[in-house]
Amino acid sequence: MYMFLEKGMWDADFYSKVKSACVSLGVNYEEISFVECFNSIPKEKHDAMSNKLDLMKYEFVFPYGCINFVNHLKSKVEGVFWNKNFDFHVYSSYWHKYMLMKDNMGYFSTFGHVKHMPMLHLVHFHGQFFMRPDKGNKIFTGRVFKQETINHDLTYMGYNFPAEIPNEELVYVSGVEKIKREFRFAIIDGKIASSTLYNVNGRATEEPGCDNRKIIELANEVASDPWQPDQMYSLDICEYGDDKIAVLEIGCLNCSGWYKMNPQYIIKAISDWEDKYQQGKA
């Protein structure tokens, strides 16, 4: 197993833990600048990177970085776990009984329909609604839209420049549910490798592990479900309402924040899976 770590993507303390885990587990790693994967650098450096990838095409390389970094390497290395199953309409159709949407049904629409007829959706959901992208590459971050700022928010989508989101982009629109806490699990080969708290009442709050036994049980149930999106993924589960729990979403483990999860547990689980994978190919 070999890891490509995107330079500058995560904070120094986290990267130190990842690199220490690699060293202790005997996993080779290399830090790569985002631009090294593209043509925005001198041709000779880009060609050197391309040649390296060609030489490593028979090795198991697990890249970890931003969505664009991972997406660019997806066709060049074996270790990217991300496919059409990560689109919301796919996994929610298989896992509906686990999802938050089971108590707060919404509907799929297009971004253009929401943008050009926002009042229709505001009225339907009593003055505010939640919208998230369908695609797993998350062209924007899911968020709540309110009547007083709807036009601005649909234009800028939380950034300082107009959002370039195609009108035909599929989105999911629903009512707003007050989320209390959000936990993330690294699921690898049908098991929980590590977990972390990452949000409390809408504020980023990172703590290792999960102290809610029912959420851990739900994560194990999802991880052992007959339908799985891929061999590994990140799984987000929340607390809401009156002691309710549900799956929020899944994500690509290669580009999901690991927050306070234990990198050693995750990398060890990936390495163990890769050993089984290589044995199966032999």
Side-chain angles (χ1 to χ4, degrees):
M1 176 176 165
Y2 201 97
M3 287 192 75
F4 280 167
L5 305 175
E6 183 186 355
K7 288 180 181 177
M9 182 60 192
W10 316 107
D11 67 74
D13 180 60
F14 174 77
Y15 257 143
S16 177
K17 291 177 181 177
V18 171
K19 289 185 281 190
S20 294
C22 287
V23 171
S24 66
L25 293 168
V27 172
N28 294 317
Y29 70 89
E30 183 174 350
E31 293 183 272
I32 299 175
S33 296
F34 183 74
V35 294
E36 287 179 11
C37 296
F38 295 90
N39 288 310
S40 55
I41 58 173
K43 184 177 185 300
E44 60 272 16
K45 193 170 184 181
H46 182 271
D47 289 347
M49 180 64 185
S50 296
N51 291 335
K52 177 186 292 187
L53 289 169
D54 287 340
L55 291 171
M56 299 184 75
K57 63 184 178 183
Y58 298 112
E59 292 192 46
F60 180 80
V61 179
F62 185 92
Y64 185 57
C66 74
I67 286 177
N68 288 335
F69 176 75
V70 171
N71 190 46
H72 183 75
L73 291 171
K74 188 174 186 293
S75 63
K76 299 174 173 60
V77 299
E78 284 193 277
V80 175
F81 298 84
W82 187 9
N83 56 60
K84 290 293 292 181
N85 289 336
F86 287 75
D87 290 353
F88 188 71
H89 78 274
V90 177
Y91 65 83
S92 66
S93 68
Y94 285 95
W95 286 347
H96 184 270
K97 64 181 179 180
Y98 304 129
M99 305 291 298
L100 181 64
M101 64 192 303
K102 71 182 184 297
D103 288 339
N104 193 350
M105 281 300 295
Y107 47 79
F108 288 95
S109 183
T110 63
F111 178 73
H113 182 63
V114 176
K115 184 175 182 179
H116 297 301
M117 302 184 68
M119 291 306 299
L120 178 68
H121 308 280
L122 285 168
V123 170
H124 185 84
F125 292 110
H126 311 292
Q128 61 178 355
F129 64 86
F130 173 81
M131 181 170 67
R132 59 152 296 148
D134 177 60
K135 287 182 181 175
N137 64 1
K138 298 184 76 170
I139 193 169
F140 64 91
T141 300
R143 57 167 296 174
V144 174
F145 295 85
K146 299 181 179 181
Q147 184 167 347
E148 53 269 27
T149 57
I150 187 72
N151 291 325
H152 175 275
D153 291 348
L154 285 172
T155 300
Y156 292 93
M157 301 295 286
Y159 298 98
N160 294 319
F161 52 88
E164 296 181 358
I165 300 173
N167 283 334
E168 66 272 18
E169 190 75 21
L170 191 65
V171 297
Y172 181 75
V173 185
S174 72
V176 177
E177 194 74 60
K178 183 171 175 54
I179 306 298
K180 296 177 180 177
R181 295 197 298 170
E182 300 175 40
F183 295 88
R184 177 162 294 174
F185 295 81
I187 306 298
I188 300 170
D189 198 21
K191 301 179 182 63
I192 297 171
S194 191
S195 61
T196 180
L197 172 72
Y198 69 92
N199 198 294
V200 177
N201 295 321
R203 294 179 178 273
T205 307
E206 298 181 21
E207 294 179 10
C210 175
D211 61 2
N212 186 318
R213 179 180 55 81
K214 290 184 178 179
I215 283 184
I216 296 172
E217 290 173 355
L218 176 58
N220 278 313
E221 184 177 350
V222 172
S224 60
D225 189 90
W227 184 86
Q228 292 292 302
D230 212 330
Q231 296 294 329
M232 54 192 80
Y233 53 93
S234 64
L235 172 68
D236 294 349
I237 300 180
C238 71
E239 298 171 339
Y240 69 102
D242 185 17
D243 295 324
K244 294 181 178 181
I245 61 172
V247 170
L248 280 172
E249 63 178 357
I250 64 171
C252 170
L253 191 63
N254 301 83
C255 50
S256 297
W258 292 359
Y259 301 117
K260 292 295 183 181
M261 287 194 279
N262 189 317
Q264 180 140 347
Y265 295 165
I266 296 174
I267 296 169
K268 175 69 163 56
I270 296 171
S271 181
D272 289 347
W273 176 87
E274 194 258 339
D275 287 343
K276 288 170 56 179
Y277 169 71
Q278 297 296 357
Q279 290 172 12
K281 285 173 61 179

